[in-house]
Amino acid sequence: MSLAIVTGGAGFIGSTLVRSLVADGYHVRVIDNLTSGKRDNLAGLDQVDLCVADLRSPGAFEKFLEPGAPVYHLAAIPSVPRSISDPVPSHESNINATFNLLQACVARKTGRVVYAASSSAYGDTEVLPKTERMRPQPLSPYAMQKLAGEYYCSVFSHCYGLETVSLRFFNVFGPRQDPTSPYSGVLSIFLNCLIDRKAPTIFGDGEQSRDFTFVEDVAALCMKASLAPAATVTGNVYNAGNGHSYTLNQTWRMLCEMRGLDIQPEYGPPRAGDVKDSLADTQAAVRDLGHNPKFTFEEGLRLTLDWYQQSRGE
Ligand code: UD2
């Protein structure tokens, strides 16, 4: 049985990827420090070892890497506002830990590293959709940190021959996304407000747009990125988006319609570091990686809503 390694595999996106890998016949080794990841996210999976280790300490995890095994690097501290209010931990986890991991992958001669980059790297562009050829213009420490990780991946490909592919995730949502923190992804918050029949708070006028991408489509793309021809993809960066965007106002209206409710959102001040509009050009990922998102936004929302209801026992 083939081995795959997933950093951050006990987190929301990581654990979905782990499930997809297991379904594909892999044995998966998860490296996670369990700061935001949860053992529960991996419950019921036999083909998984959880190695609790922190990538900020190089000596702590190198032994868990194996020659030739593909590595999916999803461990990170997400959130634009968290990186603004408390930049040191996210700097250490998003840049230093990524550097440590890449060095260890070279030393241990692992297989290809697929890196979870972020659409935030684009910042505000004059033109939509956002293509990989555009100059990055990060607007927050988080965006800058994720961009630094991409650059390190490309540099490690060029200088050390480590195969890497960076995927710029576009606002991933789905089951297991934790709605309980003030830094939680907006859809996890909206969906739980909907279940509670409560008004969400929208930061700004709600006309900002996002290319919300269902987590299973992102997991599928990660696996494709790991297997795509090395000569075509090594060292490259690709958009991992759905290719459609919705404003927050539209999204909340859609959710209310799904439930036959009419709840007006509350509005608060715009958030520092927020990107105005986000929409992925997916052509390069389709061409080079075989990206083929299967879930429309509405399908993803329904599946996620069902999951939250079940997990809350409703
Ligand atoms: C960024 C990245 C995303 C991913 C993520 C990780 C962009 C466009 N996207 O997501 O790809 O890397 O960071 O954290 O940069 N909001 C509300 N009310 C709430 C919560 C959020 O109005 O209760 C707004 C928020 O101001 C923003 C939008 O919803 O305009 C999305 O916020 P988010 O935190 O879900 O994700 P975002 O776009 O910062």
PDB file of all heavy atoms in Angstrom, residues 78-81 117-121 142 169-172 182-187 189-190 201-203 208-210 212 248 271 274-275 277-278, ligand 1:
ATOM      1  N   PRO A  78      -4.457  29.797   9.464  1.00  0.00           N
ATOM      2  CA  PRO A  78      -5.145  30.622   8.467  1.00  0.00           C
ATOM      3  C   PRO A  78      -5.660  31.927   9.074  1.00  0.00           C
ATOM      4  O   PRO A  78      -5.407  32.197  10.251  1.00  0.00           O
ATOM      5  CB  PRO A  78      -6.307  29.722   8.026  1.00  0.00           C
ATOM      6  CG  PRO A  78      -6.588  28.860   9.200  1.00  0.00           C
ATOM      7  CD  PRO A  78      -5.301  28.713   9.972  1.00  0.00           C
ATOM      8  N   SER A  79      -6.355  32.672   8.273  1.00  0.00           N
ATOM      9  CA  SER A  79      -7.098  33.871   8.666  1.00  0.00           C
ATOM     10  C   SER A  79      -6.319  35.170   8.481  1.00  0.00           C
ATOM     11  O   SER A  79      -5.286  35.405   9.122  1.00  0.00           O
ATOM     12  CB  SER A  79      -7.598  33.786  10.112  1.00  0.00           C
ATOM     13  OG  SER A  79      -8.156  35.015  10.492  1.00  0.00           O
ATOM     14  N   VAL A  80      -6.881  35.990   7.624  1.00  0.00           N
ATOM     15  CA  VAL A  80      -6.343  37.338   7.404  1.00  0.00           C
ATOM     16  C   VAL A  80      -6.390  38.163   8.696  1.00  0.00           C
ATOM     17  O   VAL A  80      -5.364  38.695   9.130  1.00  0.00           O
ATOM     18  CB  VAL A  80      -7.124  38.030   6.249  1.00  0.00           C
ATOM     19  CG1 VAL A  80      -6.847  39.518   6.191  1.00  0.00           C
ATOM     20  CG2 VAL A  80      -6.819  37.345   4.920  1.00  0.00           C
ATOM     21  N   PRO A  81      -7.550  38.275   9.365  1.00  0.00           N
ATOM     22  CA  PRO A  81      -7.580  39.141  10.560  1.00  0.00           C
ATOM     23  C   PRO A  81      -6.702  38.632  11.696  1.00  0.00           C
ATOM     24  O   PRO A  81      -6.094  39.424  12.419  1.00  0.00           O
ATOM     25  CB  PRO A  81      -9.063  39.154  10.975  1.00  0.00           C
ATOM     26  CG  PRO A  81      -9.724  38.057  10.231  1.00  0.00           C
ATOM     27  CD  PRO A  81      -8.906  37.793   9.003  1.00  0.00           C
ATOM     28  N   ALA A 117      -1.342  26.955  -0.969  1.00  0.00           N
ATOM     29  CA  ALA A 117      -1.153  28.405  -1.049  1.00  0.00           C
ATOM     30  C   ALA A 117      -2.528  29.068  -0.951  1.00  0.00           C
ATOM     31  O   ALA A 117      -3.531  28.393  -0.725  1.00  0.00           O
ATOM     32  CB  ALA A 117      -0.450  28.755  -2.356  1.00  0.00           C
ATOM     33  N   SER A 118      -2.562  30.393  -1.108  1.00  0.00           N
ATOM     34  CA  SER A 118      -3.832  31.095  -0.893  1.00  0.00           C
ATOM     35  C   SER A 118      -4.113  32.117  -1.985  1.00  0.00           C
ATOM     36  O   SER A 118      -3.212  32.849  -2.421  1.00  0.00           O
ATOM     37  CB  SER A 118      -3.802  31.803   0.459  1.00  0.00           C
ATOM     38  OG  SER A 118      -4.888  32.702   0.565  1.00  0.00           O
ATOM     39  N   SER A 119      -5.391  32.198  -2.334  1.00  0.00           N
ATOM     40  CA  SER A 119      -5.844  33.213  -3.298  1.00  0.00           C
ATOM     41  C   SER A 119      -5.605  34.626  -2.773  1.00  0.00           C
ATOM     42  O   SER A 119      -5.618  35.581  -3.544  1.00  0.00           O
ATOM     43  CB  SER A 119      -7.338  33.034  -3.564  1.00  0.00           C
ATOM     44  OG  SER A 119      -8.084  33.351  -2.396  1.00  0.00           O
ATOM     45  N   SER A 120      -5.400  34.755  -1.459  1.00  0.00           N
ATOM     46  CA  SER A 120      -5.168  36.091  -0.894  1.00  0.00           C
ATOM     47  C   SER A 120      -3.901  36.720  -1.458  1.00  0.00           C
ATOM     48  O   SER A 120      -3.744  37.945  -1.410  1.00  0.00           O
ATOM     49  CB  SER A 120      -5.076  36.022   0.635  1.00  0.00           C
ATOM     50  OG  SER A 120      -4.035  35.150   1.020  1.00  0.00           O
ATOM     51  N   ALA A 121      -3.005  35.903  -2.016  1.00  0.00           N
ATOM     52  CA  ALA A 121      -1.753  36.434  -2.580  1.00  0.00           C
ATOM     53  C   ALA A 121      -2.027  37.492  -3.656  1.00  0.00           C
ATOM     54  O   ALA A 121      -1.243  38.421  -3.831  1.00  0.00           O
ATOM     55  CB  ALA A 121      -0.924  35.297  -3.186  1.00  0.00           C
ATOM     56  N   TYR A 142      -0.977  37.455   6.441  1.00  0.00           N
ATOM     57  CA  TYR A 142      -1.320  36.088   6.017  1.00  0.00           C
ATOM     58  C   TYR A 142      -1.064  35.898   4.517  1.00  0.00           C
ATOM     59  O   TYR A 142      -0.458  34.893   4.099  1.00  0.00           O
ATOM     60  CB  TYR A 142      -2.792  35.805   6.347  1.00  0.00           C
ATOM     61  CG  TYR A 142      -3.292  34.517   5.758  1.00  0.00           C
ATOM     62  CD1 TYR A 142      -2.912  33.294   6.301  1.00  0.00           C
ATOM     63  CD2 TYR A 142      -4.120  34.515   4.643  1.00  0.00           C
ATOM     64  CE1 TYR A 142      -3.356  32.104   5.743  1.00  0.00           C
ATOM     65  CE2 TYR A 142      -4.574  33.334   4.087  1.00  0.00           C
ATOM     66  CZ  TYR A 142      -4.191  32.130   4.632  1.00  0.00           C
ATOM     67  OH  TYR A 142      -4.616  30.956   4.085  1.00  0.00           O
ATOM     68  N   PHE A 169      -5.553  28.069  -2.915  1.00  0.00           N
ATOM     69  CA  PHE A 169      -6.920  27.728  -2.516  1.00  0.00           C
ATOM     70  C   PHE A 169      -7.769  29.010  -2.507  1.00  0.00           C
ATOM     71  O   PHE A 169      -7.358  30.036  -1.969  1.00  0.00           O
ATOM     72  CB  PHE A 169      -6.943  27.133  -1.103  1.00  0.00           C
ATOM     73  CG  PHE A 169      -6.328  25.767  -0.961  1.00  0.00           C
ATOM     74  CD1 PHE A 169      -5.762  25.098  -2.037  1.00  0.00           C
ATOM     75  CD2 PHE A 169      -6.331  25.128   0.271  1.00  0.00           C
ATOM     76  CE1 PHE A 169      -5.208  23.822  -1.893  1.00  0.00           C
ATOM     77  CE2 PHE A 169      -5.787  23.855   0.432  1.00  0.00           C
ATOM     78  CZ  PHE A 169      -5.215  23.212  -0.654  1.00  0.00           C
ATOM     79  N   PHE A 170      -8.970  28.890  -3.072  1.00  0.00           N
ATOM     80  CA  PHE A 170      -9.924  30.004  -3.096  1.00  0.00           C
ATOM     81  C   PHE A 170     -11.059  29.708  -2.114  1.00  0.00           C
ATOM     82  O   PHE A 170     -11.931  28.888  -2.392  1.00  0.00           O
ATOM     83  CB  PHE A 170     -10.503  30.193  -4.506  1.00  0.00           C
ATOM     84  CG  PHE A 170      -9.628  31.011  -5.422  1.00  0.00           C
ATOM     85  CD1 PHE A 170      -8.418  30.521  -5.894  1.00  0.00           C
ATOM     86  CD2 PHE A 170     -10.021  32.282  -5.803  1.00  0.00           C
ATOM     87  CE1 PHE A 170      -7.616  31.283  -6.731  1.00  0.00           C
ATOM     88  CE2 PHE A 170      -9.224  33.055  -6.648  1.00  0.00           C
ATOM     89  CZ  PHE A 170      -8.027  32.558  -7.112  1.00  0.00           C
ATOM     90  N   ASN A 171     -11.062  30.371  -0.986  1.00  0.00           N
ATOM     91  CA  ASN A 171     -12.162  30.294   0.011  1.00  0.00           C
ATOM     92  C   ASN A 171     -12.843  28.931   0.069  1.00  0.00           C
ATOM     93  O   ASN A 171     -13.989  28.774  -0.372  1.00  0.00           O
ATOM     94  CB  ASN A 171     -13.167  31.415  -0.240  1.00  0.00           C
ATOM     95  CG  ASN A 171     -12.579  32.758   0.141  1.00  0.00           C
ATOM     96  OD1 ASN A 171     -11.737  33.309  -0.565  1.00  0.00           O
ATOM     97  ND2 ASN A 171     -12.961  33.267   1.305  1.00  0.00           N
ATOM     98  N   VAL A 172     -12.122  27.990   0.628  1.00  0.00           N
ATOM     99  CA  VAL A 172     -12.610  26.616   0.721  1.00  0.00           C
ATOM    100  C   VAL A 172     -13.658  26.510   1.830  1.00  0.00           C
ATOM    101  O   VAL A 172     -13.504  27.107   2.896  1.00  0.00           O
ATOM    102  CB  VAL A 172     -11.428  25.669   1.014  1.00  0.00           C
ATOM    103  CG1 VAL A 172     -11.908  24.219   1.020  1.00  0.00           C
ATOM    104  CG2 VAL A 172     -10.317  25.870  -0.020  1.00  0.00           C
ATOM    105  N   PRO A 182     -13.825  33.623  16.129  1.00  0.00           N
ATOM    106  CA  PRO A 182     -14.102  34.874  15.402  1.00  0.00           C
ATOM    107  C   PRO A 182     -13.356  34.905  14.066  1.00  0.00           C
ATOM    108  O   PRO A 182     -13.665  35.714  13.196  1.00  0.00           O
ATOM    109  CB  PRO A 182     -13.576  35.967  16.344  1.00  0.00           C
ATOM    110  CG  PRO A 182     -12.749  35.274  17.375  1.00  0.00           C
ATOM    111  CD  PRO A 182     -13.171  33.841  17.417  1.00  0.00           C
ATOM    112  N   TYR A 183     -12.383  34.007  13.909  1.00  0.00           N
ATOM    113  CA  TYR A 183     -11.604  33.965  12.665  1.00  0.00           C
ATOM    114  C   TYR A 183     -12.113  32.895  11.695  1.00  0.00           C
ATOM    115  O   TYR A 183     -11.485  32.617  10.681  1.00  0.00           O
ATOM    116  CB  TYR A 183     -10.137  33.684  12.979  1.00  0.00           C
ATOM    117  CG  TYR A 183      -9.511  34.707  13.902  1.00  0.00           C
ATOM    118  CD1 TYR A 183      -8.914  34.324  15.098  1.00  0.00           C
ATOM    119  CD2 TYR A 183      -9.515  36.062  13.569  1.00  0.00           C
ATOM    120  CE1 TYR A 183      -8.336  35.259  15.946  1.00  0.00           C
ATOM    121  CE2 TYR A 183      -8.948  36.999  14.407  1.00  0.00           C
ATOM    122  CZ  TYR A 183      -8.357  36.595  15.586  1.00  0.00           C
ATOM    123  OH  TYR A 183      -7.793  37.529  16.411  1.00  0.00           O
ATOM    124  N   SER A 184     -13.235  32.282  12.027  1.00  0.00           N
ATOM    125  CA  SER A 184     -13.748  31.193  11.177  1.00  0.00           C
ATOM    126  C   SER A 184     -14.133  31.717   9.795  1.00  0.00           C
ATOM    127  O   SER A 184     -14.502  32.885   9.629  1.00  0.00           O
ATOM    128  CB  SER A 184     -14.985  30.579  11.817  1.00  0.00           C
ATOM    129  OG  SER A 184     -14.660  29.981  13.044  1.00  0.00           O
ATOM    130  N   GLY A 185     -14.089  30.809   8.823  1.00  0.00           N
ATOM    131  CA  GLY A 185     -14.494  31.149   7.459  1.00  0.00           C
ATOM    132  C   GLY A 185     -15.945  31.601   7.437  1.00  0.00           C
ATOM    133  O   GLY A 185     -16.786  31.087   8.195  1.00  0.00           O
ATOM    134  N   VAL A 186     -16.235  32.555   6.560  1.00  0.00           N
ATOM    135  CA  VAL A 186     -17.548  33.199   6.598  1.00  0.00           C
ATOM    136  C   VAL A 186     -18.694  32.212   6.384  1.00  0.00           C
ATOM    137  O   VAL A 186     -19.749  32.349   7.006  1.00  0.00           O
ATOM    138  CB  VAL A 186     -17.612  34.366   5.581  1.00  0.00           C
ATOM    139  CG1 VAL A 186     -17.573  33.881   4.131  1.00  0.00           C
ATOM    140  CG2 VAL A 186     -18.832  35.215   5.821  1.00  0.00           C
ATOM    141  N   LEU A 187     -18.520  31.202   5.532  1.00  0.00           N
ATOM    142  CA  LEU A 187     -19.653  30.309   5.279  1.00  0.00           C
ATOM    143  C   LEU A 187     -19.958  29.435   6.487  1.00  0.00           C
ATOM    144  O   LEU A 187     -21.118  29.106   6.738  1.00  0.00           O
ATOM    145  CB  LEU A 187     -19.410  29.450   4.039  1.00  0.00           C
ATOM    146  CG  LEU A 187     -19.426  30.215   2.721  1.00  0.00           C
ATOM    147  CD1 LEU A 187     -19.284  29.260   1.550  1.00  0.00           C
ATOM    148  CD2 LEU A 187     -20.700  31.031   2.561  1.00  0.00           C
ATOM    149  N   ILE A 189     -19.768  30.393   9.450  1.00  0.00           N
ATOM    150  CA  ILE A 189     -20.527  31.284  10.334  1.00  0.00           C
ATOM    151  C   ILE A 189     -21.945  31.496   9.785  1.00  0.00           C
ATOM    152  O   ILE A 189     -22.935  31.358  10.509  1.00  0.00           O
ATOM    153  CB  ILE A 189     -19.782  32.634  10.493  1.00  0.00           C
ATOM    154  CG1 ILE A 189     -18.440  32.398  11.203  1.00  0.00           C
ATOM    155  CG2 ILE A 189     -20.636  33.649  11.249  1.00  0.00           C
ATOM    156  CD1 ILE A 189     -17.525  33.604  11.261  1.00  0.00           C
ATOM    157  N   PHE A 190     -22.045  31.785   8.488  1.00  0.00           N
ATOM    158  CA  PHE A 190     -23.373  32.006   7.882  1.00  0.00           C
ATOM    159  C   PHE A 190     -24.270  30.771   8.082  1.00  0.00           C
ATOM    160  O   PHE A 190     -25.445  30.889   8.428  1.00  0.00           O
ATOM    161  CB  PHE A 190     -23.233  32.260   6.377  1.00  0.00           C
ATOM    162  CG  PHE A 190     -22.967  33.692   5.979  1.00  0.00           C
ATOM    163  CD1 PHE A 190     -22.522  34.635   6.894  1.00  0.00           C
ATOM    164  CD2 PHE A 190     -23.160  34.101   4.660  1.00  0.00           C
ATOM    165  CE1 PHE A 190     -22.267  35.950   6.511  1.00  0.00           C
ATOM    166  CE2 PHE A 190     -22.922  35.405   4.274  1.00  0.00           C
ATOM    167  CZ  PHE A 190     -22.478  36.332   5.188  1.00  0.00           C
ATOM    168  N   THR A 201     -23.255  38.914  10.974  1.00  0.00           N
ATOM    169  CA  THR A 201     -22.684  40.253  10.771  1.00  0.00           C
ATOM    170  C   THR A 201     -21.819  40.212   9.526  1.00  0.00           C
ATOM    171  O   THR A 201     -20.930  39.367   9.404  1.00  0.00           O
ATOM    172  CB  THR A 201     -21.823  40.672  11.979  1.00  0.00           C
ATOM    173  OG1 THR A 201     -22.660  40.672  13.127  1.00  0.00           O
ATOM    174  CG2 THR A 201     -21.219  42.053  11.786  1.00  0.00           C
ATOM    175  N   ILE A 202     -22.111  41.117   8.613  1.00  0.00           N
ATOM    176  CA  ILE A 202     -21.306  41.231   7.386  1.00  0.00           C
ATOM    177  C   ILE A 202     -20.381  42.434   7.557  1.00  0.00           C
ATOM    178  O   ILE A 202     -20.835  43.528   7.917  1.00  0.00           O
ATOM    179  CB  ILE A 202     -22.225  41.400   6.156  1.00  0.00           C
ATOM    180  CG1 ILE A 202     -22.989  40.086   5.906  1.00  0.00           C
ATOM    181  CG2 ILE A 202     -21.439  41.836   4.940  1.00  0.00           C
ATOM    182  CD1 ILE A 202     -23.910  40.109   4.697  1.00  0.00           C
ATOM    183  N   PHE A 203     -19.093  42.207   7.323  1.00  0.00           N
ATOM    184  CA  PHE A 203     -18.116  43.296   7.459  1.00  0.00           C
ATOM    185  C   PHE A 203     -18.036  44.068   6.146  1.00  0.00           C
ATOM    186  O   PHE A 203     -17.649  43.499   5.116  1.00  0.00           O
ATOM    187  CB  PHE A 203     -16.742  42.742   7.837  1.00  0.00           C
ATOM    188  CG  PHE A 203     -16.773  41.952   9.129  1.00  0.00           C
ATOM    189  CD1 PHE A 203     -16.320  40.644   9.179  1.00  0.00           C
ATOM    190  CD2 PHE A 203     -17.287  42.517  10.288  1.00  0.00           C
ATOM    191  CE1 PHE A 203     -16.367  39.914  10.362  1.00  0.00           C
ATOM    192  CE2 PHE A 203     -17.344  41.801  11.476  1.00  0.00           C
ATOM    193  CZ  PHE A 203     -16.881  40.501  11.508  1.00  0.00           C
ATOM    194  N   GLN A 208     -18.553  42.582  -1.386  1.00  0.00           N
ATOM    195  CA  GLN A 208     -17.322  41.855  -1.716  1.00  0.00           C
ATOM    196  C   GLN A 208     -17.705  40.449  -2.200  1.00  0.00           C
ATOM    197  O   GLN A 208     -18.699  39.892  -1.744  1.00  0.00           O
ATOM    198  CB  GLN A 208     -16.342  41.801  -0.534  1.00  0.00           C
ATOM    199  CG  GLN A 208     -16.793  41.046   0.702  1.00  0.00           C
ATOM    200  CD  GLN A 208     -17.465  41.924   1.731  1.00  0.00           C
ATOM    201  OE1 GLN A 208     -18.410  42.646   1.411  1.00  0.00           O
ATOM    202  NE2 GLN A 208     -17.034  41.850   2.982  1.00  0.00           N
ATOM    203  N   SER A 209     -16.914  39.924  -3.127  1.00  0.00           N
ATOM    204  CA  SER A 209     -17.273  38.622  -3.713  1.00  0.00           C
ATOM    205  C   SER A 209     -16.153  37.613  -3.494  1.00  0.00           C
ATOM    206  O   SER A 209     -14.984  37.978  -3.364  1.00  0.00           O
ATOM    207  CB  SER A 209     -17.554  38.783  -5.206  1.00  0.00           C
ATOM    208  OG  SER A 209     -16.406  39.278  -5.852  1.00  0.00           O
ATOM    209  N   ARG A 210     -16.558  36.352  -3.455  1.00  0.00           N
ATOM    210  CA  ARG A 210     -15.594  35.270  -3.245  1.00  0.00           C
ATOM    211  C   ARG A 210     -15.901  34.109  -4.177  1.00  0.00           C
ATOM    212  O   ARG A 210     -17.068  33.835  -4.476  1.00  0.00           O
ATOM    213  CB  ARG A 210     -15.673  34.755  -1.793  1.00  0.00           C
ATOM    214  CG  ARG A 210     -15.189  35.753  -0.737  1.00  0.00           C
ATOM    215  CD  ARG A 210     -13.714  36.012  -0.825  1.00  0.00           C
ATOM    216  NE  ARG A 210     -13.191  36.927   0.182  1.00  0.00           N
ATOM    217  CZ  ARG A 210     -13.097  38.243   0.040  1.00  0.00           C
ATOM    218  NH1 ARG A 210     -13.516  38.826  -1.074  1.00  0.00           N
ATOM    219  NH2 ARG A 210     -12.572  38.982   0.989  1.00  0.00           N
ATOM    220  N   PHE A 212     -16.116  30.757  -3.825  1.00  0.00           N
ATOM    221  CA  PHE A 212     -16.198  29.731  -2.780  1.00  0.00           C
ATOM    222  C   PHE A 212     -16.026  28.351  -3.425  1.00  0.00           C
ATOM    223  O   PHE A 212     -16.715  28.021  -4.395  1.00  0.00           O
ATOM    224  CB  PHE A 212     -17.539  29.814  -2.064  1.00  0.00           C
ATOM    225  CG  PHE A 212     -17.717  31.063  -1.240  1.00  0.00           C
ATOM    226  CD1 PHE A 212     -18.636  32.032  -1.610  1.00  0.00           C
ATOM    227  CD2 PHE A 212     -16.956  31.270  -0.094  1.00  0.00           C
ATOM    228  CE1 PHE A 212     -18.809  33.184  -0.840  1.00  0.00           C
ATOM    229  CE2 PHE A 212     -17.119  32.413   0.679  1.00  0.00           C
ATOM    230  CZ  PHE A 212     -18.048  33.373   0.304  1.00  0.00           C
ATOM    231  N   LEU A 248     -21.266  38.441  -0.692  1.00  0.00           N
ATOM    232  CA  LEU A 248     -21.788  37.974   0.598  1.00  0.00           C
ATOM    233  C   LEU A 248     -23.291  38.229   0.694  1.00  0.00           C
ATOM    234  O   LEU A 248     -24.033  37.404   1.234  1.00  0.00           O
ATOM    235  CB  LEU A 248     -21.062  38.665   1.756  1.00  0.00           C
ATOM    236  CG  LEU A 248     -19.570  38.381   1.887  1.00  0.00           C
ATOM    237  CD1 LEU A 248     -19.036  38.998   3.177  1.00  0.00           C
ATOM    238  CD2 LEU A 248     -19.268  36.897   1.851  1.00  0.00           C
ATOM    239  N   ARG A 271     -13.327  44.936   7.158  1.00  0.00           N
ATOM    240  CA  ARG A 271     -12.187  44.342   7.851  1.00  0.00           C
ATOM    241  C   ARG A 271     -10.875  44.769   7.199  1.00  0.00           C
ATOM    242  O   ARG A 271     -10.765  44.747   5.965  1.00  0.00           O
ATOM    243  CB  ARG A 271     -12.317  42.816   7.738  1.00  0.00           C
ATOM    244  CG  ARG A 271     -12.284  42.134   9.043  1.00  0.00           C
ATOM    245  CD  ARG A 271     -12.760  40.731   9.084  1.00  0.00           C
ATOM    246  NE  ARG A 271     -12.268  39.810   8.091  1.00  0.00           N
ATOM    247  CZ  ARG A 271     -12.532  38.503   8.141  1.00  0.00           C
ATOM    248  NH1 ARG A 271     -13.237  37.988   9.120  1.00  0.00           N
ATOM    249  NH2 ARG A 271     -12.088  37.694   7.215  1.00  0.00           N
ATOM    250  N   ASP A 274      -8.862  43.025   3.988  1.00  0.00           N
ATOM    251  CA  ASP A 274      -9.843  42.288   3.186  1.00  0.00           C
ATOM    252  C   ASP A 274      -9.629  42.561   1.691  1.00  0.00           C
ATOM    253  O   ASP A 274      -9.426  43.708   1.293  1.00  0.00           O
ATOM    254  CB  ASP A 274     -11.243  42.776   3.567  1.00  0.00           C
ATOM    255  CG  ASP A 274     -12.205  41.644   3.851  1.00  0.00           C
ATOM    256  OD1 ASP A 274     -11.742  40.506   4.049  1.00  0.00           O
ATOM    257  OD2 ASP A 274     -13.408  41.907   3.885  1.00  0.00           O
ATOM    258  N   VAL A 275      -9.741  41.504   0.921  1.00  0.00           N
ATOM    259  CA  VAL A 275      -9.726  41.639  -0.533  1.00  0.00           C
ATOM    260  C   VAL A 275     -11.146  41.970  -0.972  1.00  0.00           C
ATOM    261  O   VAL A 275     -12.109  41.478  -0.395  1.00  0.00           O
ATOM    262  CB  VAL A 275      -9.243  40.298  -1.150  1.00  0.00           C
ATOM    263  CG1 VAL A 275      -9.511  40.230  -2.630  1.00  0.00           C
ATOM    264  CG2 VAL A 275      -7.764  40.080  -0.836  1.00  0.00           C
ATOM    265  N   ASP A 277     -12.675  41.624  -4.317  1.00  0.00           N
ATOM    266  CA  ASP A 277     -13.302  40.600  -5.165  1.00  0.00           C
ATOM    267  C   ASP A 277     -12.329  39.471  -5.458  1.00  0.00           C
ATOM    268  O   ASP A 277     -11.130  39.700  -5.632  1.00  0.00           O
ATOM    269  CB  ASP A 277     -13.743  41.222  -6.499  1.00  0.00           C
ATOM    270  CG  ASP A 277     -14.853  42.227  -6.296  1.00  0.00           C
ATOM    271  OD1 ASP A 277     -15.886  41.843  -5.725  1.00  0.00           O
ATOM    272  OD2 ASP A 277     -14.654  43.397  -6.662  1.00  0.00           O
ATOM    273  N   SER A 278     -12.881  38.275  -5.552  1.00  0.00           N
ATOM    274  CA  SER A 278     -12.021  37.116  -5.792  1.00  0.00           C
ATOM    275  C   SER A 278     -12.719  36.151  -6.732  1.00  0.00           C
ATOM    276  O   SER A 278     -13.857  35.746  -6.488  1.00  0.00           O
ATOM    277  CB  SER A 278     -11.724  36.436  -4.454  1.00  0.00           C
ATOM    278  OG  SER A 278     -10.794  35.401  -4.634  1.00  0.00           O
TER     279      SER A 278
HETATM  280  C1  UD2 B   1      -8.771  34.395   2.658  1.00  0.00           C
HETATM  281  C2  UD2 B   1      -8.496  33.861   1.252  1.00  0.00           C
HETATM  282  C3  UD2 B   1      -8.841  32.371   1.201  1.00  0.00           C
HETATM  283  C4  UD2 B   1      -8.127  31.595   2.314  1.00  0.00           C
HETATM  284  C5  UD2 B   1      -8.513  32.224   3.659  1.00  0.00           C
HETATM  285  C6  UD2 B   1      -7.861  31.535   4.840  1.00  0.00           C
HETATM  286  C7  UD2 B   1      -9.039  35.826  -0.108  1.00  0.00           C
HETATM  287  C8  UD2 B   1      -9.915  36.390  -1.174  1.00  0.00           C
HETATM  288  N1  UD2 B   1      -9.306  34.580   0.284  1.00  0.00           N
HETATM  289  O1  UD2 B   1     -10.156  34.289   2.885  1.00  0.00           O
HETATM  290  O2  UD2 B   1      -8.495  31.846  -0.062  1.00  0.00           O
HETATM  291  O3  UD2 B   1      -6.733  31.581   2.113  1.00  0.00           O
HETATM  292  O4  UD2 B   1      -8.116  33.622   3.657  1.00  0.00           O
HETATM  293  O5  UD2 B   1      -8.214  32.179   6.024  1.00  0.00           O
HETATM  294  O6  UD2 B   1      -8.132  36.474   0.344  1.00  0.00           O
HETATM  295  N2  UD2 B   1     -16.866  38.105   6.758  1.00  0.00           N
HETATM  296  C9  UD2 B   1     -18.065  38.652   7.201  1.00  0.00           C
HETATM  297  N3  UD2 B   1     -18.596  38.198   8.368  1.00  0.00           N
HETATM  298  C10 UD2 B   1     -18.000  37.208   9.119  1.00  0.00           C
HETATM  299  C11 UD2 B   1     -16.766  36.651   8.645  1.00  0.00           C
HETATM  300  C12 UD2 B   1     -16.243  37.128   7.469  1.00  0.00           C
HETATM  301  O7  UD2 B   1     -18.630  39.542   6.570  1.00  0.00           O
HETATM  302  O8  UD2 B   1     -18.545  36.851  10.174  1.00  0.00           O
HETATM  303  C13 UD2 B   1     -16.325  38.566   5.470  1.00  0.00           C
HETATM  304  C14 UD2 B   1     -14.869  38.994   5.487  1.00  0.00           C
HETATM  305  O9  UD2 B   1     -14.720  40.327   5.868  1.00  0.00           O
HETATM  306  C15 UD2 B   1     -14.506  38.722   4.014  1.00  0.00           C
HETATM  307  C16 UD2 B   1     -15.381  37.534   3.620  1.00  0.00           C
HETATM  308  O10 UD2 B   1     -16.409  37.471   4.584  1.00  0.00           O
HETATM  309  O11 UD2 B   1     -14.865  39.832   3.209  1.00  0.00           O
HETATM  310  C17 UD2 B   1     -14.629  36.213   3.635  1.00  0.00           C
HETATM  311  O12 UD2 B   1     -13.929  36.117   4.868  1.00  0.00           O
HETATM  312  P1  UD2 B   1     -13.227  34.773   5.324  1.00  0.00           P
HETATM  313  O13 UD2 B   1     -12.563  35.033   6.626  1.00  0.00           O
HETATM  314  O14 UD2 B   1     -14.165  33.643   5.216  1.00  0.00           O
HETATM  315  O15 UD2 B   1     -12.146  34.517   4.183  1.00  0.00           O
HETATM  316  P2  UD2 B   1     -11.103  35.480   3.395  1.00  0.00           P
HETATM  317  O16 UD2 B   1     -11.777  36.028   2.190  1.00  0.00           O
HETATM  318  O17 UD2 B   1     -10.395  36.380   4.320  1.00  0.00           O
END
